[in-house]
Amino acid sequence: MNEVGGETAFLKVNNLCKSFDSLKVLDNVSTEIRIGEVTCVLGPSGAGKSTFLRCLNRLEMPESGEIICFGKNTLTHGYDIRSLREDVGMVFQQFNLFPLKTVLNNVMLAPVIVKKMKKPEARQLAMRELEKVGLAEKAHSLPGTLSGGQKQRVAIARSLAMKPKLMLFDEPTSALDPELVSDVLDVMKQLARDGMTMIVVTHEMGFAREVADRILFMADGKIIEDDAPDVFFDNPRTERARAFVEKML
């Protein structure tokens, strides 16, 4: 782990570059994430926010740069990708639940398969995580019977069941009807209060202002601003950020 400014940075990103064909999506992105921080990544569509998150979890492979996670460069040949997936949970825009498995079995699956946990222990763990997200009573339901907000909360419980050290959220409320958004955000706020380290790509400005320790503002594949929420929202340093805040608020 790396000591930065008296705090422990367990994820460092150095000069990350990623292109799709001729389109440069990430252009020398560098930042660091410290234990217990909630970092919200904001910016216009096409800024590279989701690609940045997917690179952190190796769902996309950058052309160059470094991602130092728990002291190891995850982009080196031979890096154990399974250890990264155990330590870094991810919640997507779409819920990606197995439709023919019950809610309980969706949450149990990764601990049993990846961590070789015994099924009775995994069942207890899954029920605890479902209780955290307020869905214990839906344990034996199929995903198709749930609302979008309930499905997203199950997806969060599924990630939490792996006991991750870092949680990545890729616009977790963007596919939800407006009246379902608050339930998901309430779960995320509680995770923040519990000290979970989180990186959240979001368009929910109220959530970002209330919960984030830092705002990373991205545009054109670069991090344009890295500030505390009050600085970013009340006094953006760049014209690009100022225009974004005025539009979103």
Side-chain angles (χ1 to χ4, degrees):
M1 294 190 182
N2 306 284
E3 289 295 328
V4 179
E7 298 182 67
T8 305
F10 67 76
L11 190 148
K12 292 194 64 154
V13 179
N14 299 318
N15 304 118
L16 209 61
C17 293
K18 173 68 179 175
S19 298
F20 293 108
D21 297 323
S22 60
L23 179 64
K24 195 154 198 175
V25 181
L26 297 178
D27 187 3
N28 283 304
V29 170
S30 297
T31 190
E32 60 193 38
I33 304 298
R34 290 179 284 271
I35 291 173
E37 275 192 340
V38 177
T39 302
C40 282
V41 185
L42 310 180
S45 296
K49 306 182 299 295
S50 292
T51 300
F52 171 61
L53 222 58
R54 291 172 66 84
C55 287
L56 296 184
N57 207 24
R58 277 281 301 272
L59 293 172
E60 299 285 356
M61 190 68 177
E63 284 92 46
S64 60
E66 294 181 321
I67 300 174
I68 310 297
C69 191
F70 312 117
K72 295 182 179 178
N73 186 356
T74 68
L75 305 182
T76 55
H77 180 70
Y79 176 80
D80 181 9
I81 192 67
R82 195 173 77 167
S83 67
L84 178 69
R85 299 279 164 76
E86 287 186 23
D87 287 333
V88 180
M90 188 157 182
V91 176
F92 300 86
Q93 297 177 35
Q94 302 297 332
F95 325 112
N96 297 338
L97 301 177
F98 293 102
L100 300 182
K101 292 185 180 293
T102 65
V103 164
L104 181 63
N105 285 331
N106 266 277
V107 180
M108 287 174 57
L109 193 63
V112 170
I113 291 178
V114 178
K115 294 201 167 182
K116 311 301 181 187
M117 191 178 287
K118 301 291 185 187
K119 283 189 176 179
E121 184 184 355
R123 189 173 290 108
Q124 287 184 339
L125 170 64
M127 286 304 300
R128 285 199 301 272
E129 300 306 338
L130 287 170
E131 285 171 11
K132 276 186 194 173
V133 301
L135 287 175
E137 77 282 359
K138 298 290 188 180
H140 302 293
S141 301
L142 290 174
T145 68
L146 305 181
S147 71
Q150 289 171 329
K151 289 176 185 176
Q152 193 60 290
R153 285 186 281 154
V154 173
I156 293 172
R158 180 179 57 185
S159 287
L160 291 175
M162 289 296 287
K163 300 298 180 189
K165 298 182 177 72
L166 170 66
M167 285 280 284
L168 308 177
F169 292 86
D170 187 9
E171 298 193 26
T173 61
S174 65
L176 303 180
D177 292 333
E179 66 268 21
L180 302 176
V181 168
S182 62
D183 288 343
V184 173
L185 294 181
D186 285 345
V187 169
M188 294 170 65
K189 289 174 185 178
Q190 186 58 53
L191 289 178
R193 287 192 290 268
D194 291 342
M196 174 63 73
T197 309
M198 299 157 60
I199 306 176
V200 185
V201 173
T202 185
H203 290 295
E204 300 290 340
M205 298 298 108
F207 172 85
R209 187 163 200 157
E210 177 185 348
V211 179
D213 298 294
R214 290 167 64 205
I215 301 292
L216 299 183
F217 176 71
M218 293 187 68
D220 303 321
K222 301 175 183 286
I223 294 175
I224 304 295
E225 299 204 20
D226 177 352
D227 266 314
D230 57 343
V231 174
F232 177 78
F233 286 109
D234 295 337
N235 189 28
R237 299 176 192 274
T238 63
E239 187 56 43
R240 189 72 184 270
R242 193 172 299 113
F244 176 83
V245 169
E246 288 175 358
K247 182 179 178 182
M248 296 301 290
L249 297 181

